[in-house]
């Protein structure tokens, strides 16, 4: 029965990990920018849900509807105003810029919210489902469903819409996309906006499950990085596969080695993949 509980926990947590990583993977795969501000976007989304619920009485599900357009607009403007100026520079330049932006946003959150941990507690509580000895909290199930829905919506956008096909074209061959009349600068801004929107929505979902603090941004960024490497850059299905694999390894590792070694185990897995299969489970060679 313990194995079933571990498997279910991994499925639930893996879908949330995929939601954390998918925006990071999209920006990295399309813009070739390692967006170090991604973790702070997630924490800011969690604070949005916490503040809307405790201050205005808004359900976290309504917060998703606020977070998606607000973070998209923020990311779009950020890319247009700042990142676009250095987008063709070496990776180290964009890395430094996003690191600086992350410091500014993270320190602003510490100044405003302090470093204390807070928790969004729903009233009345949602309870849990218990089948034999297997217990699954309902709020985690709902958050998992929302994470899968967001992942599916991004998949549909990339596959079925004109702007989505343009994003894929720029990711595959920027020069060919330019020759076909694609406005690459606009596509970059849309892709970065989508990455920010997904990070903000992931933060709303995380607020339902985990405590909130600006200090957790680096942990979320680390998860996103590992999932991207495991699944493959710019791949929606790869992010989902990478998230599930990471959650499963962490779950099994927690049982046999203890929860304190779960993070270490995830980074050992990262190193193994970088050596054996740098393009990830579902990525393509050339995008690693």
């Amino acid at each position: 029965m313990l194995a079933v509980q571990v498997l279910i926990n991994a499925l639930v947590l893996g879908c949330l990990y995929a939601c954390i990583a998918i925006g990071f993977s999209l920006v990295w795969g399309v813009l070739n920018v390692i967006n170090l501000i991604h973790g702070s976007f997630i924490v800011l989304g969690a604070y949005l849900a916490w503040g809307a619920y405790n201050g205005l009485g808004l359900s976290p599900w309504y917060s998703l509807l606020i977070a998606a357009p607000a973070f998209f607009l923020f990311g779009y403007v950020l890319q247009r105003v700042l990142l676009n100026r250095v987008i063709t520079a070496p990776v180290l330049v964009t890395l430094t810029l996003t690191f600086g932006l992350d410091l500014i946003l993270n320190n602003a959150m510490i100044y405003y919210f302090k470093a204390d941990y807070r928790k969004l507690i729903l009233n009345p509580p949602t309870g849990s489902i218990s089948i034999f000895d297997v217990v699954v909290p309902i709020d985690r199930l709902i958050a998992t469903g929302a994470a899968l829905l967001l992942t599916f919506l991004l998949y549909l956008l990339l596959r079925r819409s004109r702007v989505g096909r343009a994003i894929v074209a720029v990711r595959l061959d920027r020069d060919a996309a330019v020759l076909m009349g694609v406005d690459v600068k606009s596509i970059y801004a849309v892709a970065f906006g989508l990455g920010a929107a997904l990070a903000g929505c992931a933060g709303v979902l995380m607020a339902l499950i985990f405590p909130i603090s600006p200090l957790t941004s680096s942990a979320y960024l680390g998860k996103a990085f590992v999932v991207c490497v495991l699944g493959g850059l710019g791949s929606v299905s790869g992010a989902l596969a990478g998230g599930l694999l990471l959650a499963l390894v962490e779950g099994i590792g927690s049982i046999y080695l203890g929860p304190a070694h779960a993070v270490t185990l995830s980074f050992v897995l990262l190193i193994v993949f970088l050596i054996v299969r740098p393009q990830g489970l579902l990525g393509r060679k050339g995008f690693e």
Side-chain angles (χ1 to χ4, degrees):
M1 199 57 70
L2 179 61
V4 177
Q5 181 73 63
V6 170
L7 184 60
I8 290 177
N9 289 344
L11 287 173
V12 170
L13 205 55
C15 293
L16 294 173
Y17 282 174
C19 192
I20 286 176
I22 197 167
F24 184 76
S25 175
L26 183 70
V27 170
W28 193 356
V30 176
L31 281 75
N32 195 29
V33 169
I34 301 174
N35 180 23
L36 297 185
I37 199 173
H38 190 79
S40 291
F41 278 161
I42 294 172
V43 174
L44 192 60
Y47 274 120
L48 187 150
W50 178 85
Y53 185 74
N54 290 291
L56 305 173
L58 282 180
S59 163
W61 317 120
Y62 291 114
S63 294
L64 282 175
L65 302 178
I66 298 172
F71 276 82
F72 175 83
L73 184 62
F74 184 41
Y76 187 95
V77 172
L78 193 64
Q79 201 284 333
R80 277 288 195 182
V81 174
L82 289 178
L83 283 170
N84 201 38
R85 298 175 185 273
V86 296
I87 196 70
T88 56
V91 173
L92 185 60
V93 176
T94 56
L95 198 68
T96 305
L97 177 59
T98 56
F99 178 68
L101 292 172
D102 180 59
L103 284 179
I104 293 171
L105 180 57
N106 200 262
N107 280 285
M109 287 192 291
I110 290 175
Y111 176 80
Y112 189 77
F113 297 109
K114 312 301 177 190
D116 301 336
Y117 283 84
R118 309 179 190 203
K119 183 75 177 73
L120 197 164
I121 300 174
L122 296 177
N123 186 22
T126 53
S128 60
I129 296 175
S130 179
I131 302 175
F132 298 107
D133 292 334
V134 178
V135 179
V136 184
I138 293 176
D139 56 355
R140 289 197 176 205
L141 280 180
I142 297 174
T144 301
L148 284 174
L149 179 61
L150 287 170
T151 306
F152 181 64
L153 289 176
L154 179 65
Y155 178 82
L156 284 183
L157 177 73
L158 293 177
R159 295 290 178 181
R160 302 294 175 86
S161 71
R162 187 180 179 86
V163 68
R165 287 194 288 270
I167 290 173
V168 174
V170 170
R171 171 182 174 268
L172 293 174
D173 193 328
R174 178 183 180 278
D175 294 332
V178 171
L179 292 175
M180 296 301 292
V182 175
D183 184 348
V184 173
K185 290 183 178 179
S186 294
I187 293 301
Y188 279 165
V190 170
F192 197 87
L194 285 172
L198 288 164
C201 290
V204 172
L205 300 179
M206 287 297 158
L208 288 166
I209 300 170
F210 298 109
I212 308 164
S213 168
L215 303 180
T216 59
S217 66
S218 58
Y220 287 135
L221 180 63
K223 300 286 185 195
F225 193 86
V226 174
V227 170
C228 282
V229 172
L230 297 183
L233 288 182
S235 168
V236 176
S237 53
L240 189 58
L244 291 172
L245 177 61
L246 177 62
L248 191 61
V249 169
E250 284 187 351
I252 296 173
S254 297
I255 293 174
Y256 291 102
L257 301 175
H261 298 286
V263 175
T264 305
L265 201 60
S266 66
F267 280 96
V268 169
L269 186 65
L270 168 70
I271 293 170
V272 171
F273 261 71
L274 285 174
I275 296 172
V276 177
R277 191 175 172 81
Q279 72 270 30
L281 287 171
L282 301 177
R284 295 174 55 188
K285 287 187 176 180
F287 292 98
E288 62 269 34

